[in-house]
Amino acid sequence: MDEINQKLPISKLSVLGLQHVLILYFSSVSVPLIVGNALKLSTGEIAFLINASLLCAGIATLVQSIGFGKYVGLKMPVMQGMTLMASGALTAIATSYDIQTVFGAVIAAGVVCLVIGPVFSKLMPLFPNIVRGCVISVVGLTLIPVAVNWIAGTKDTELYGHPTNFLLALIVVAVIVVLNKFCTGFVKNIAVLIALCAGFAAALAMGRVDLSGVSQASWFGVTLPFHFGLPKFALTPIVSLSVVMLVIMAESIVIYLAIGEIVEHDTTEKDMSRGFIANGINVIFSGIFNSFVFTSFTQNIGLVALTKIKSRFTTAAGGVILILLGFFPKIATIVASIPSPVLGGVGIVVFATITASGIKTMMSADISKGDNSLIAALSIGVGLGSTLLKSAGAFAAFSPNIRIFLEDGVITGCITAVVLNLIFNGYREKEKK
């Protein structure tokens, strides 16, 4: 636990925190963009949603990383951000109702998480090492296609699949490899940040950075509660987003266990309960301050595994930076201008590192045992299969509430691993050393 609580110099924390922010930034701002466009909001209003989301994400990260007292906060190095998993439900609510109803559903989903969280934490015995390893591996493997899509670029544009996209990603990966091979200490720890800067510089030289929005963005902005009016509470939107919240909570079990494995801390039921309570509070706060549903980002878990920096104060520093970005839209716009192929290059390395961590955990459960080998094979196969079928649109015929489960490779892989482990190893598996 000493490494988790290690307090580094502010100069190092700032750089390490910025590294965490850049990893999650692109995904986190995507949700307000999607919902804002669905609501047909003006550019200024969408920019406000982005700033609100950054502010709330920063506060949520501080709550999870630092914690409050004995009952709130995971107190491990996790970053909180908007989850794309909720974008479908949020968009459906936005198009059928209005923005006040969206925020009402968000607040209600936060209450659901707050109330049910302690019960969810009791599912810990369902996740022995073989299940943890399988699901952590699935998390990494299902994220790799995301990084690949970032590298390819935006579909239906002239730059989709352009050779410079792959060149930018290659530059980023090469910088990370070189720094990890020839450097030590702090420089090695911030290899991802240096690679991002190198990729950004290369993109700038190629004319691939769009800074047109920077001049239009204001220097300073304040997010006030209920900016769009008091929230409205409608049953159908609340039920829909609450189902999404349950899926997020199920995925969070895996995320909390994964970060525990990486920082070498045995995640307990109490840790799990504190994490869920914090997430519920964060989501309620988010709805009040004009933002959406939170989750802990798996991308940043991969960064912890890659850098070997386990201090929770690094992600807390990232939370402070997110809050500052929420107050300074112009700076946030500059960060948003990082081309997706640059982020994709980082993503390939970071997401593959998560997969490697999962494999390491599976090995500790004696993967050579026939039953455990079958559990691993099927859970990974089902998880990847769901991800590929989602990309192909194969679940379109299912109802939205069922589709949200089927299209999430982490959830399908997790359910498969849990069920097979119960069949072969029972409720409490005797780990093989």
Side-chain angles (χ1 to χ4, degrees):
M1 283 291 288
D2 288 340
E3 288 186 82
I4 297 177
N5 295 314
Q6 183 183 13
K7 295 182 179 180
L8 303 170
I10 293 178
S11 56
K12 288 187 177 182
L13 283 177
S14 300
V15 177
L16 292 167
L18 178 60
Q19 190 169 239
H20 274 290
V21 168
L22 294 177
I23 291 296
L24 71 78
Y25 192 92
F26 184 77
S27 295
S28 198
V29 301
S30 297
V31 177
L33 282 170
I34 292 169
V35 177
N37 282 306
L39 287 163
K40 298 180 180 179
L41 298 179
S42 66
T43 302
E45 289 174 322
I46 292 175
F48 177 86
L49 285 181
I50 292 173
N51 292 335
S53 295
L54 292 172
L55 175 67
C56 291
I59 293 171
T61 297
L62 286 174
V63 171
Q64 281 287 26
S65 298
I66 303 299
F68 290 97
K70 297 180 179 180
Y71 304 106
V72 180
L74 189 63
K75 298 182 181 179
M76 284 197 273
V78 291
M79 293 290 294
Q80 297 284 107
M82 303 294 111
T83 173
L84 283 167
M85 189 188 300
S87 60
L90 289 169
T91 301
I93 297 169
T95 52
S96 300
Y97 295 85
D98 54 25
I99 194 166
Q100 291 103 315
T101 307
V102 169
F103 294 135
V106 169
I107 293 170
V111 173
V112 168
C113 183
L114 187 62
V115 172
I116 298 180
V119 178
F120 250 73
S121 65
K122 297 185 181 300
L123 300 177
M124 285 281 294
L126 296 176
F127 294 85
N129 277 3
I130 182 60
V131 175
R132 297 184 196 188
C134 291
V135 181
I136 293 169
S137 296
V138 170
V139 168
L141 290 170
T142 54
L143 281 172
I144 288 173
V146 175
V148 172
N149 287 329
W150 286 350
I151 293 171
T154 306
K155 282 187 177 181
D156 302 323
T157 65
E158 60 180 14
L159 290 175
Y160 181 71
H162 195 278
T164 56
N165 292 356
F166 300 98
L167 177 59
L168 286 171
L170 181 61
I171 289 171
V172 171
V173 172
V175 171
I176 292 174
V177 171
V178 169
L179 291 176
N180 274 273
K181 172 63 178 178
F182 297 106
C183 297
T184 59
F186 187 62
V187 173
K188 184 175 180 178
N189 292 336
I190 61 169
V192 169
L193 179 59
I194 295 172
L196 278 168
C197 292
F200 184 82
L204 197 61
M206 295 177 189
R208 291 293 308 275
V209 179
D210 182 11
L211 295 172
S212 59
V214 177
S215 60
Q216 300 173 8
S218 58
W219 277 107
F220 184 76
V222 177
T223 300
L224 298 175
F226 306 127
H227 174 82
F228 295 93
L230 292 176
K232 298 177 182 177
F233 299 94
L235 181 60
T236 301
I238 288 173
V239 171
S240 176
L241 203 57
S242 293
V243 170
V244 175
M245 194 72 243
L246 291 175
V247 177
I248 292 170
M249 290 171 69
E251 190 175 59
S252 294
I253 290 178
V254 179
I255 294 172
Y256 297 162
L257 290 172
I259 192 62
E261 292 283 345
I262 290 168
V263 301
E264 299 177 331
H265 167 66
D266 185 18
T267 306
T268 65
E269 183 182 313
K270 289 182 179 180
D271 293 328
M272 204 72 77
S273 179
R274 289 201 313 266
F276 286 134
I277 289 172
N279 202 50
I281 293 171
N282 289 335
V283 173
I284 294 170
F285 180 87
S286 179
I288 293 172
F289 278 83
N290 320 289
S291 191
F292 308 106
V293 180
F294 282 108
T295 189
S296 297
F297 268 54
T298 47
Q299 295 96 311
N300 297 89
I301 294 174
L303 185 59
V304 173
L306 183 66
T307 63
K308 304 293 191 298
I309 301 295
K310 302 171 184 178
S311 171
R312 61 194 173 105
F313 294 103
T314 58
T315 51
V320 173
I321 292 171
L322 283 170
I323 292 171
L324 292 175
L325 289 173
F327 281 114
F328 299 100
K330 194 176 287 290
I331 298 174
T333 306
I334 294 173
V335 175
S337 67
I338 298 175
S340 66
V342 175
L343 295 170
V346 170
I348 286 289
V349 178
V350 172
F351 303 159
T353 302
I354 297 174
T355 304
S357 296
I359 293 171
K360 179 181 177 182
T361 303
M362 280 192 289
M363 295 299 289
S364 71
D366 189 8
I367 195 67
S368 63
K369 178 186 173 186
D371 294 343
N372 282 349
S373 179
L374 181 61
I375 293 170
L378 283 176
S379 60
I380 291 173
V382 169
L384 283 177
S386 289
T387 302
L388 294 173
L389 288 172
K390 175 187 177 182
S391 300
F395 297 118
F398 289 84
S399 69
N401 287 339
I402 293 181
R403 194 165 67 237
I404 192 172
F405 289 93
L406 295 177
E407 290 184 341
D408 190 324
V410 175
I411 294 298
T412 57
C414 179
I415 292 173
T416 303
V418 167
V419 171
L420 290 177
N421 180 68
L422 288 173
I423 292 171
F424 289 111
N425 297 314
Y427 184 58
R428 293 182 183 272
E429 180 193 27
K430 294 180 180 179
E431 299 289 354
K432 302 293 183 182
K433 300 296 183 184

